[in-house]
Amino acid sequence: MFSYSFGNAKQDSVYKMVAACEREEGIGRDELFSALQSKMSKKELDESLEFLSNEGHVYSTTDEDHFKTTDS
């Protein structure tokens, strides 16, 4: 189901976490960081979210800190 690969392990990890969230409002930035902080810094998380958003793979929902994938 989550077979996307962006050629960047950090972006792949962020995308998989966003895609796995089934809540209507999506997953929050803080929740993502809590789950992924052993793999990346806050700056790397923000850069990954920015890349995925700019490329049209994720979008913000209720505010700028909650995300869903565009194909879910």
Side-chain angles (χ1 to χ4, degrees), residues 20-59:
C21 180
E22 296 182 3
R23 293 190 305 267
E24 191 172 321
E25 73 275 11
I27 190 167
R29 188 183 305 263
D30 290 340
E31 186 179 350
L32 281 167
F33 183 63
S34 291
L36 297 171
Q37 63 186 344
S38 65
K39 295 182 180 182
M40 67 186 74
S41 68
K42 182 83 164 154
K43 182 177 188 289
E44 290 169 322
L45 171 64
D46 291 342
E47 289 170 351
S48 294
L49 285 167
E50 184 176 357
F51 169 83
L52 293 169
S53 180
N54 289 343
E55 294 294 312
H57 299 293
V58 302
Y59 64 97

